[in-house]
Amino acid sequence: MRVHSELGPGLLESVYEEAVCYELQKNGIEFKRQHGVRVYYDNHLMGTGFRVDIIVEDAVIIELKAREYIPPVYYRIILTYLKFSQIEVALMINFHVDKLKDGINRFILDRKPNQNFRY
């Protein structure tokens, strides 16, 4: 919230990422930035499939956006991130909004046999 209120909308995603990481570090919160996640297919390593913007305390994925419109496929992408990272919670935070609460979406991976997702 502080990053958005200080910087406001309209900047590049990289600026928000730097500011969020600065706040996490300043507050002693463990995180990984631009962390590569390996993808397996049929038990075969396919390599690094994607990079997560930020992983906080190995428990929450944070994907940052700075866009006026987020296409629906981006929501599916977050669900794929959860599936392959084995992390159960993700936040997509879009800084290109007047009020940050309008730019936050939460995703949860349900650990059921069919691996349902909800957001």
Side-chain angles (χ1 to χ4, degrees):
M1 298 290 255
R2 182 172 184 190
V3 170
H4 186 267
S5 63
E6 289 289 324
L7 298 177
L11 303 174
L12 296 173
E13 288 175 19
S14 59
V15 173
Y16 296 114
E17 182 177 321
E18 184 70 32
V20 168
C21 289
Y22 171 76
E23 285 294 330
L24 292 170
Q25 183 178 9
K26 187 170 77 170
N27 288 288
I29 298 170
E30 183 183 320
F31 68 94
K32 296 174 190 167
R33 183 177 181 184
Q34 291 298 319
H35 182 72
V37 177
R38 294 179 176 170
V39 173
Y40 291 86
Y41 175 75
D42 197 27
N43 292 319
H44 180 75
L45 176 62
M46 306 309 296
T48 299
F50 56 92
R51 296 198 174 277
V52 176
D53 287 347
I54 303 170
I55 299 176
V56 178
E57 301 281 343
D58 289 324
V60 178
I61 290 174
I62 299 179
E63 185 66 17
L64 302 175
K65 299 292 178 206
R67 306 173 129 237
E68 188 171 334
Y69 171 73
I70 298 178
V73 70
Y74 281 82
Y75 298 98
R76 295 295 306 160
I77 289 169
I78 297 295
L79 300 178
T80 299
Y81 287 5
L82 290 173
K83 176 182 174 182
F84 285 104
S85 69
Q86 298 300 304
I87 293 176
E88 295 182 0
V89 177
L91 296 174
M92 181 189 295
I93 304 173
N94 184 12
F95 283 88
H96 195 73
V97 292
D98 288 330
K99 295 179 183 176
L100 189 60
K101 69 179 184 114
D102 296 331
I104 299 174
N105 289 284
R106 183 180 68 156
F107 303 80
I108 299 171
L109 173 65
D110 287 337
R111 294 276 179 211
K112 295 178 182 170
N114 63 355
Q115 286 201 339
N116 292 321
F117 299 95
R118 66 178 196 259
Y119 58 95

